[in-house]
Amino acid sequence: MARRRPPRSVTADDLLTTLGRLTAQARESAELQRARVELAEALQRDTLPTALPALPGLRTAARYAPARNGLDIGGDWYDGFVMPDGSLGFSIGDVQGHDVEAAAFMGQIRIGLRAVATASTDPGEVLSGANDLLVSVGRELFATCTFVRFDPITWVLESARAGHVPAIWATADGRCGAAQDPGGLPLGIQPGERYPVIRRRLTQEGAFVLVTDGVVEGPTVPIDAGLDRVTRLVRSAARSGARADELAAQVMTAAAYTDHTDDAAVLVLRHDAAAPEKAA
């Protein structure tokens, strides 16, 4: 019967070799992750608009902040543009997931919304068209979104939302709230989805603020508490006459209270009161 050879003892050189191999693997993994984050940051930076449209009586501002851990980049966006009839279109949204894939998908959604808006200015139809377009692409990602149209003639704000968090509004006379409007499924899930449109005539000076869930929700912060915090900020700003950029910065500070594990975006529409309607 053959004797079993005793196990070879592990030497210091063996340990150093193993440690070196693991260190090299960790370094390679960290460098790959850093490259992906840098690519996502570049896509995010190049995709978000450098300026938002505004009109006399309507001031706009926006903010974006990546997640605190620096890895969850690329999911949130905001946008604003002039539509064919002269009205202004605004969107904000949040792609499920993060990193490079989410940043690229976010760019597709923004382009899709703009493309559909050349054929229809109705917010519900814009979301429906963009949803069908995204479903046809066959990606496994989806996104929540709110689309808003501001008519500078009637001073009416029309909005539709696809699974997105409520907008927050406030007027200079102290009224405020979260717009718990009916909506549809997030974009990219089910073809043929329809999105109800809510119309508001801006008869009082105030603010209409759109946010992503990174501003109002976190591991220890339920969304209702986050919405209440932002509503108080918007109400105070509307009463004090704060500028759109000041309000956007203030609202973004609320993300710090959610522990900022997700990226966050804010879009502010600061409006004057509509002119009184003339009697027929």
Side-chain angles (χ1 to χ4, degrees):
M1 182 175 180
R3 290 187 177 183
R4 298 180 61 184
R5 300 178 66 180
R8 186 174 67 89
S9 61
V10 178
T11 68
D13 287 342
D14 293 330
L15 292 175
L16 288 175
T17 299
T18 301
L19 179 59
R21 185 176 67 253
L22 293 176
T23 301
Q25 292 174 351
R27 183 183 300 112
E28 181 180 351
S29 177
E31 290 174 352
L32 176 61
Q33 179 60 40
R34 182 164 57 250
R36 292 178 66 87
V37 169
E38 290 174 354
L39 177 56
E41 286 177 333
L43 287 170
Q44 184 83 18
R45 182 175 59 253
D46 293 342
T47 302
L48 292 178
T50 57
L52 293 171
L55 293 167
L58 179 72
R59 285 82 59 194
T60 59
R63 293 286 188 278
Y64 168 81
R68 280 187 172 178
N69 63 14
L71 301 180
D72 291 339
I73 294 171
D76 290 13
W77 87 88
Y78 60 83
D79 197 13
F81 54 95
V82 180
M83 296 203 279
D85 64 352
S87 61
L88 302 184
F90 299 94
S91 69
I92 193 169
D94 182 0
V95 176
Q96 171 264 337
H98 301 92
D99 208 339
V100 178
E101 291 79 8
F105 190 60
M106 177 264 289
Q108 291 178 329
I109 295 173
R110 284 189 63 239
I111 293 171
L113 290 168
R114 287 188 176 225
V116 175
T118 62
S120 175
T121 59
D122 179 272
E125 293 179 5
V126 172
L127 289 183
S128 293
N131 174 68
D132 290 344
L133 180 63
L134 294 172
V135 171
S136 70
V137 172
R139 297 288 295 274
E140 294 184 355
L141 296 175
F142 63 87
T144 67
C145 177
T146 293
F147 191 90
V148 172
R149 172 181 179 263
F150 174 77
D151 189 324
I153 305 300
T154 63
W155 222 248
V156 168
L157 194 70
E158 300 176 318
S159 62
R161 63 178 183 143
H164 201 65
V165 297
I168 298 102
W169 62 271
T171 53
D173 61 5
R175 294 182 298 124
C176 61
Q180 300 282 358
D181 302 332
L185 292 174
L187 304 178
I189 293 181
Q190 177 175 291
E193 184 72 2
R194 293 294 176 260
Y195 300 92
V197 177
I198 304 301
R199 294 170 173 83
R200 297 174 173 87
R201 190 164 190 268
L202 306 178
T203 58
Q204 298 287 331
E205 176 189 347
F208 195 79
V209 179
L210 302 165
V211 301
T212 57
D213 57 4
V215 178
V216 294
E217 188 176 22
T220 61
V221 179
I223 189 170
D224 289 342
L227 287 171
D228 287 345
R229 183 185 301 277
V230 173
T231 300
R232 292 194 298 271
L233 288 172
V234 176
R235 178 175 182 265
S236 176
R239 297 184 70 177
S240 67
R243 300 193 314 267
D245 58 341
E246 294 173 335
L247 177 52
Q250 291 172 13
V251 172
M252 185 56 79
T253 63
Y257 293 95
T258 68
D259 202 19
H260 220 321
T261 58
D262 197 0
D263 49 348
V266 175
L267 176 60
V268 171
L269 309 182
R270 192 77 169 83
H271 59 83
D272 294 343
E277 293 183 316
K278 296 180 180 180

